Amino acid sequence: AVVSTQSTGALKGLKVIELAGLAPSPFAGLLLADYGAEVIRVDKLKPLLSTNVLARGKKSVSVNLKQPEGIEIVRKLVSEADILIEPFRPGVMERLGLGPDALMQQNKRLIYARLSGYGQDGPMSQAAGHDINYVAMTGVLSKLGRAGQPPFPPANILADFAGGSILCVMGILMALHSRHTTGMGQVVDASLSDGAAYASSFLFSSANQIPMMWPGKRGCNLLDSGCPYYNTYKTSDNRYMAVGALEPQFYTALLEGLQLTDAGLPHQMELPKWGEIGAAFADKFSCKTQAEWTDIFSKVDACVTPVLSFAEAAAHPHNKTRGMFLETPGIPEPAPSPKLSATPAVPAVESPRLGQHTIEVLKELGYEEGAAVKLAEEGIVNATQ
């Protein structure tokens, strides 16, 4: 079957309606689906971009939200749901007649999760943006990058996923916990920009409490590529090794592995000499292949590891033992984390076709099969069997 039966899992029994979007909202839905929730994704009739990224284990209902009949279908779906996830700018759902006031009046237990770039209020709430913009507005991007180079965004991981999807799901779970006591749902206002700042709290707190960690400009500090023993180094075969030998015992082991114990290098914490230390490390690493260094440091506890490709990561013995990756079509996708001892995740490995479950879900909502087929013929829904 394309969709897991999801007969187990910590979130079994929860019904989630996910309005199709890009990146943050699909991952929020995937997190819930992987742990047993039933997730129904509401797709457009003909989306410009594929919505099947991060779609494992979901059902797809394709609905025309520009027609009143399509809006009514979503209202019926949400009336029976525990959670709604919507990815639009503030005001879009209200204009569709699907805002929290309307939907929570018919379903007082609904958790209404709103994932947006800058949040539901404030001067920038209507502004367009992407991960790089949201991280830039938090001050965090100013800290990321190498010395003398422009700030460098970490793909779209920080705002979209760490600050967006994951914190949104945390908000949903807290709202569910509150519902046990109050019997009432609530709105979860998950701003990607707010979340990126919150996920980066350590940068702010450590700047106050441990100023020695951030003595210099961007790219000149302990954790931002300024430190020679927290960096990556090219090997003789143009691969890379990752070095994180921060503590003295690991730094000593690093020098042993590199055979630099007696090289007369400056002290580990002699910051003005970090460039000299880094040059010595780079010279050493360039003399052997990644495989050779991996073998050397597999016998030395120095916090030194190879930088693996996707395929290599999926094939690594430790990752295979942990079940870190699923056997998905194409590139293996990561398995759910964390692992629960009593109610483990129940991930599906395949994704739905656009509109695959439209007729099935409409019939569950009380539509006769003939009426459902007619809706498809009238362009209200897309039903791909």
Side-chain angles (χ1 to χ4, degrees):
V2 172
V3 177
S4 166
T5 58
Q6 305 202 334
S7 59
T8 60
L11 302 181
K12 178 187 177 183
L14 289 177
K15 178 176 283 190
V16 181
I17 307 303
E18 174 201 318
L19 298 189
L22 301 176
S25 56
F27 189 50
L30 179 67
L31 289 172
L32 298 171
D34 273 345
Y35 286 89
E38 178 188 9
V39 179
I40 300 173
R41 189 186 67 211
V42 179
D43 288 306
K44 296 179 179 179
L45 293 189
K46 295 180 180 180
L48 294 177
L49 297 174
S50 171
T51 54
N52 257 9
V53 176
L54 302 171
R56 294 184 294 97
K58 300 176 185 178
K59 295 180 179 180
S60 170
V61 176
S62 182
V63 180
N64 186 350
L65 296 183
K66 295 182 180 180
Q67 298 295 330
E69 297 91 337
I71 297 296
E72 182 59 25
I73 291 169
V74 175
R75 290 179 68 93
K76 288 183 177 181
L77 277 171
V78 175
S79 71
E80 301 179 352
D82 296 283
I83 300 157
L84 171 71
I85 301 173
E86 66 96 350
F88 306 122
R89 293 193 210 184
V92 170
M93 290 291 280
E94 284 80 357
R95 290 192 291 275
L96 291 171
L98 299 172
D101 290 345
L103 296 187
M104 296 177 75
Q105 186 174 8
Q106 69 175 18
N107 181 357
K108 298 185 183 301
R109 293 175 58 81
L110 180 67
I111 310 301
Y112 193 116
R114 317 195 75 168
L115 261 168
S116 64
Y118 295 109
Q120 296 301 306
D121 55 17
M124 296 187 66
S125 62
Q126 292 296 323
H130 287 290
D131 191 291
I132 188 172
N133 308 115
Y134 309 136
V135 178
M137 290 300 296
T138 67
V140 173
L141 187 56
S142 72
K143 299 294 184 182
L144 306 179
R146 293 189 177 274
Q149 298 294 319
F152 191 83
N156 67 326
I157 296 170
L158 185 49
D160 280 358
F161 301 112
S165 313
I166 294 174
L167 290 186
C168 179
V169 169
M170 187 178 78
I172 289 169
L173 296 180
M174 289 189 291
L176 285 169
H177 181 71
S178 174
R179 194 177 74 175
H180 286 306
T181 303
T182 66
M184 303 291 287
Q186 60 183 295
V187 175
V188 177
D189 177 2
S191 155
L192 304 188
S193 191
D194 293 355
Y198 192 35
S200 306
S201 291
F202 177 77
L203 299 183
F204 295 86
S205 182
S206 61
N208 289 327
Q209 304 299 327
I210 320 173
M212 63 173 289
M213 287 189 65
W214 310 101
K217 297 180 180 180
R218 177 178 61 251
C220 299
N221 304 287
L222 193 65
L223 301 177
D224 62 1
S225 78
C227 172
Y229 42 91
Y230 197 87
N231 213 330
T232 57
Y233 292 93
K234 183 183 289 189
T235 57
S236 64
D237 55 344
N238 290 317
R239 302 297 302 279
Y240 289 87
M241 298 295 290
V243 175
L246 293 173
E247 291 81 2
Q249 67 272 28
F250 300 133
Y251 183 75
T252 298
L254 169 64
L255 295 183
E256 292 174 357
L258 293 174
Q259 296 185 333
L260 287 173
T261 303
D262 300 320
L265 291 177
H267 188 271
Q268 176 184 5
M269 295 305 296
E270 197 171 346
L271 273 62
K273 299 292 183 68
W274 272 358
E276 179 182 339
I277 299 173
F281 289 176
D283 183 62
K284 271 290 186 179
F285 275 111
S286 70
C287 295
K288 296 182 186 295
T289 66
Q290 184 192 67
E292 290 172 322
W293 285 121
T294 299
D295 180 63
I296 289 170
F297 282 104
S298 69
K299 305 176 181 69
V300 181
D301 199 16
C303 301
V304 179
T305 52
V307 177
L308 301 179
S309 66
F310 282 178
E312 290 168 333
H316 191 279
H318 175 79
N319 297 341
K320 291 181 71 173
T321 299
R322 291 286 298 168
M324 187 184 290
F325 293 91
L326 302 171
E327 293 183 6
T328 49
I331 297 173
E333 295 183 19
S337 180
K339 300 180 186 299
L340 303 184
S341 61
T343 53
V346 285
V349 297
E350 295 186 28
S351 301
R353 298 185 303 278
L354 181 74
Q356 178 180 346
H357 305 91
T358 299
I359 299 298
E360 171 192 329
V361 171
L362 286 177
K363 289 167 69 175
E364 290 174 356
L365 291 176
Y367 289 85
E368 296 291 337
E369 183 163 359
V373 172
K374 184 178 179 182
L375 287 171
E377 292 172 348
E378 293 174 347
I380 306 301
V381 300
N382 180 359
T384 303
Q385 297 297 311

